Amino acid sequence: AQRVTQPEKLLSVFKGAPVELKCNYSYSGSPELFWYVQYSRQRLQLLLRHISRESIKGFTADLNKGETSFHLKKPFAQEEDSAMYYCALSPYNTDKLIFGTGTRLQVFP
Amino acid sequence: KAGVTQTPRYLIKTRGQQVTLSCSPISGHRSVSWYQQTPGQGLQFLFEYFSETQRNKGNFPGRFSGRQFSNSRSEMNVSTLELGDSALYLCASSLVQIDEQFFGPGTRLTVL
């Protein structure tokens, strides 16, 4: 079965603290993995994808095929990082996105 | 460059009616996908179109259908509406397949 699991509905941290949003996936094959973010009253937008191996807004995510995980990390959270974060999987050669249930990140001052 | 637009933004219908939602992708984008977002089920994939061809379909009943036109604009139709169809319907477009998808603001459908 193709599935994405985000175990935390809500993650609250203070500004400057490290952040790790967990994502585990189930897929028999080589998926493409993404993190999408939705800021308050804004559209869902791509934050990063595993094949680009970029750091966006200080966030990184490493694909661990052994643990089937794609956790999102940032060493020092900022208040503007407060948003809803969705991990998503795209099966090979499709645009179909299978989303996790999302994690709301709250960064307190 | 204008983003993905969806019309209408809000819609109220009653059970048994049918509804058509429209999506205009970013100019030049040929791939359009649709998603349903509800508090209970989250974001669920509905359809994927590329060059007027449906490439993938999600696990939704046949009441949900869609199409894509030669200008890449897409519509989705839901017939015989049920209360459970109340949701935010999101459209996303990408330049080609397996590219970054850009999401529209969504159409909020309420079924009474």
Side-chain angles (χ1 to χ4, degrees):
Chain A
Q2 301 167 353
R3 179 177 293 175
V4 175
T5 303
Q6 293 180 253
E8 303 136 330
K9 282 191 171 182
L10 174 65
L11 184 62
S12 299
V13 300
F14 286 101
K15 177 182 171 182
V19 168
E20 183 179 48
L21 286 81
K22 293 188 178 354
C23 172
N24 287 88
Y25 67 91
S26 173
Y27 181 72
S28 56
S30 296
E32 286 215 38
L33 286 151
F34 306 83
W35 277 97
Y36 277 81
V37 61
Q38 189 164 29
Y39 301 102
S40 179
R41 287 185 288 278
Q42 293 189 27
R43 302 179 184 199
L44 195 60
Q45 59 186 281
L46 178 67
L47 179 62
L48 54 80
R49 58 195 299 182
H50 89 274
I51 60 170
S52 63
R53 304 181 71 83
E54 292 176 302
S55 173
I56 306 293
K57 298 185 179 183
F59 284 97
T60 58
D62 290 318
L63 176 60
N64 186 323
K65 291 187 178 180
E67 294 182 358
T68 58
S69 68
F70 189 55
H71 303 326
L72 184 68
K73 299 177 184 179
K74 185 169 183 177
F76 308 104
Q78 303 299 315
E79 289 178 68
E80 55 265 30
D81 296 329
S82 295
M84 194 73 179
Y85 291 80
Y86 294 95
C87 182
L89 173 160
S90 184
Y92 177 74
N93 208 30
T94 78
D95 267 352
K96 170 182 177 179
L97 287 170
I98 299 167
F99 285 93
T101 49
T103 297
R104 180 167 298 284
L105 175 63
Q106 289 183 330
V107 182
F108 295 108
Chain B
K1 183 155 66 168
V4 177
T5 57
Q6 292 186 244
T7 56
R9 292 292 312 278
Y10 302 91
L11 207 48
I12 299 175
K13 292 285 188 180
T14 56
R15 278 181 301 174
Q17 288 187 306
Q18 67 101 26
V19 67
T20 300
L21 312 182
S22 181
C23 171
S24 293
I26 292 172
S27 178
H29 283 195
R30 296 170 62 191
S31 179
V32 173
S33 298
W34 288 88
Y35 297 86
Q36 181 196 64
Q37 186 174 28
T38 59
Q41 300 296 319
L43 282 153
Q44 292 188 288
F45 170 78
L46 279 156
F47 323 99
E48 172 196 349
Y49 288 91
F50 183 77
S51 294
E52 301 178 68
T53 301
Q54 187 180 91
R55 294 292 297 251
N56 279 287
K57 189 177 191 300
N59 189 25
F60 278 82
R63 301 185 295 107
F64 291 80
S65 62
R67 58 179 176 169
Q68 187 181 32
F69 302 95
S70 58
N71 62 358
S72 294
R73 191 176 69 83
S74 178
E75 288 182 347
M76 66 164 282
N77 184 278
V78 187
S79 62
T80 320
L81 284 166
E82 299 178 0
L83 295 179
D85 297 333
S86 295
L88 181 68
Y89 290 87
L90 294 171
C91 166
S93 77
S94 59
L95 186 60
V96 293
Q97 279 197 300
I98 323 175
D99 198 6
E100 176 180 353
Q101 293 191 46
F102 293 84
F103 281 81
T107 294
R108 171 78 60 186
L109 172 65
T110 302
V111 183
L112 302 175

